[in-house]
Amino acid sequence: MMKSLFALAMLLLLVVPVPAGAADADARQAVLTGVDVLVRDDFRPLQGRRIGLITNHTGLDRRGRSTIRLLHAAPGVELVALFSPEHGPRGQLDEATIGDSIDPATGIPVVSLY
């Protein structure tokens, strides 16, 4: 009995019509991360603000650009602090203890969360 119900349910799923163009519309819609939305919107939500960023070397936009670099260069946005988990903001540190530092690329203070 259960096998018959399962088979019937699978058959119904196969014959349910899908509206024309629905799959095409889904394929055209890209999934964006938060930084990609900020780039798309020219960082307007952050205009005039002082920003602290929790990130590491994996913080990238869809084009592979560093979130640190993007926020640092964003007009009207002041990136004032980086908060970094294990291995530092650039992913290059492998030490027993990682202290606070200054990011050499931007001159922004880095607070270690490790």
Side-chain angles (χ1 to χ4, degrees):
M1 176 73 171
M2 290 301 287
K3 286 183 182 179
S4 298
L5 287 175
F6 180 75
L8 179 60
M10 291 293 104
L11 182 60
L12 287 174
L13 286 175
L14 292 175
V15 297
V16 172
V18 175
D24 293 337
D26 288 341
R28 287 191 301 265
Q29 293 180 1
V31 175
L32 299 175
T33 64
V35 71
D36 291 317
V37 171
L38 287 170
V39 168
R40 180 195 68 197
D41 296 345
D42 297 320
F43 296 91
R44 280 188 302 277
L46 303 180
Q47 291 297 304
R49 297 185 185 259
R50 295 167 42 91
I51 302 298
L53 177 65
I54 300 173
T55 192
N56 66 10
H57 61 287
T58 64
L60 305 171
D61 74 349
R62 66 185 301 122
R63 292 175 43 197
R65 298 177 298 180
S66 163
T67 304
I68 297 169
R69 190 182 113 215
L70 290 168
L71 284 171
H72 185 253
V77 177
E78 187 180 1
L79 183 59
V80 297
L82 300 172
F83 299 90
S84 179
E86 187 177 6
H87 303 301
R90 307 287 179 189
Q92 298 171 331
L93 302 176
D94 190 15
E95 302 165 7
T97 57
I98 298 172
D100 297 347
S101 62
I102 300 292
D103 181 52
T106 62
I108 296 171
V110 178
V111 178
S112 176
L113 302 177
Y114 185 57

